[in-house]
Amino acid sequence: MKQTHRQLLSAVAVALAALATTAVRAQADTKAELISLAQEMQPFSMRVLGPPVGTAEWSFVVKPFWNETVKELSAGKVTATLNSVTDINAQPSDALQLISQGTFDMANMVANYGSGDVPTLDGFDLAGVATSIDSIKKVLAAYEPAAEAALQKRYRVNLLGAGMSGAQTFFCKGDVKTVDDLKGKKVRVSSSTLSELVQGLGAAPVTMAFGELVPALQRGVIDCVITGTMSGNTAKLYEVSDTMFTLIAGWAPTIQVINSKSLAKLDDAQRQWLTKAVDYYYRSISDAIQARNVNEGIWCNTADKRCTMIGQAGVTPGDMKLVEPSSEDLAKVREVVQQSVLPQYGKACGKDCAAAWNDSVGKVVDMQIPVQ
């Protein structure tokens, strides 16, 4: 029996409780191991590039991890100089180039933002494919080897890890009751795969920087935005949109990449610590925070009394109308994925890339990109 969207969101809440319990246990063990490793490690420093200011990833995970948690985990041995792409007036899509050039040692970035030069990266999050926390976690784990190979080939950077972000849903001006109401609307997307989904639903995809969304909605340049439930709140999209349509279009997974030369400069102990620290970042911190933020973002944007995060990290109350997709809506999305998203990705990515996706993610989600 197919799950309804309400059941999927309930599953998110169940997964949140399980993740919280698991995270507490794993966090204590791994934290102790990292501190122990640091005792025998020589000090080192890293120049880290982070996502745009105002995103949930920046506010809740990246900034506190590199500015505070790393000091504790390394017993003060690791010094991180952290900048957001906003701080240096760069686009998120510039991150891979900046790491490759050595301007920064490491970057935390949304994987899709690098797909212009490395189409393989879109395979982490093909729109409409992963419909639950469990499935997106399995997709990420399965696809990391293919993504690292592509990053090495194009940019000579190493992939240290990947993790989910918040569920990507629709913030729209006016009423949206079904996917049919999206027809003709201009929808901001953050990847080519989301563009395919939006076009398949009869809307017009528009690409623009995260910081431009509020004025663009105000002026009518766009009608809807696809973004994370909590990122939409911290960016105050509820002030310029009316309806939160909780169709999960994707997860905007993030990746941690490092310049290969910067990695090579570290000795074995330092590399071991850094690799384990990034795994700790995702498994013990980010996963639990992102799972919590899915529901909290919905509740805080829609004046739901279950919202508990007002006043934390820029979260403020909204009063949007909440609309959940029907089973008919989800069936239409599935059809678009099979008829448009997967075939178009196969063409853009190439035969070898599509084969790598089919052999990894495809087996996890029971889908296949058609052979071209």
Side-chain angles (χ1 to χ4, degrees), residues 104-320:
F104 291 87
D105 298 304
M106 290 182 62
N108 175 286
M109 60 178 289
V110 174
N112 297 126
Y113 288 167
S115 64
D117 288 332
V118 187
T120 301
L121 292 179
D122 265 341
F124 272 124
D125 191 34
L126 295 183
V129 168
T131 57
S132 69
I133 286 178
D134 182 59
S135 62
I136 188 58
K137 286 166 70 70
K138 289 178 180 178
V139 165
L140 295 176
Y143 201 57
E144 279 192 31
E148 168 137 47
L151 285 166
Q152 272 286 310
K153 183 177 180 179
R154 175 64 179 85
Y155 276 117
R156 293 292 188 268
V157 301
N158 292 81
L159 177 65
L160 292 179
M164 65 180 184
S165 254
Q168 304 292 293
T169 58
F170 291 75
F171 291 74
C172 293
K173 294 178 70 172
D175 287 331
V176 174
K177 298 178 181 178
T178 72
V179 291
D180 290 336
D181 292 329
L182 295 173
K183 291 180 179 178
K185 291 188 180 296
K186 294 166 289 188
V187 181
R188 182 266 184 175
V189 300
S190 57
S191 69
S192 58
T193 178
L194 282 175
S195 292
E196 294 298 336
L197 178 64
V198 165
Q199 285 180 320
L201 294 174
V206 179
T207 303
M208 64 174 56
F210 191 82
E212 300 172 2
L213 301 184
V214 170
L217 280 166
Q218 285 176 322
R219 299 195 304 268
V221 175
I222 54 176
D223 304 300
C224 299
V225 169
I226 298 177
T227 193
T229 61
M230 187 57 77
S231 288
N233 181 276
T234 55
K236 294 182 171 51
L237 294 185
Y238 59 81
E239 293 183 349
V240 289
S241 54
D242 307 296
T243 303
M244 191 171 190
F245 184 43
T246 56
L247 172 69
I248 298 177
W251 295 87
T254 67
I255 55 176
Q256 295 262 10
V257 296
I258 184 169
N259 178 285
S260 295
K261 291 182 179 179
S262 297
L263 183 62
K265 290 178 182 178
L266 303 179
D267 62 31
D268 290 342
Q270 292 168 332
R271 282 195 294 272
Q272 183 181 4
W273 184 90
L274 183 61
T275 300
K276 189 169 287 292
V278 170
D279 185 66
Y280 178 86
Y281 168 91
Y282 280 123
R283 306 291 82 85
S284 297
I285 301 177
S286 180
D287 282 356
I289 290 174
Q290 299 294 4
R292 176 199 68 190
N293 284 355
V294 172
N295 277 332
E296 286 280 351
I298 293 172
W299 297 336
C300 297
N301 282 312
T302 60
D304 190 305
K305 293 181 179 179
R306 288 173 289 181
C307 171
T308 65
M309 295 182 64
I310 300 302
Q312 299 180 39
V315 177
T316 48
D319 192 22
M320 299 182 71

Side-chain angles (χ1 to χ4, degrees), residues 322-344:
L322 175 63
V323 176
E324 297 179 355
S326 65
S327 57
E328 290 80 9
D329 290 330
L330 296 177
K332 289 179 181 178
V333 169
R334 178 83 176 184
E335 184 178 350
V336 170
V337 170
Q338 294 176 327
Q339 294 184 355
S340 181
V341 174
L342 294 182
Q344 289 302 318

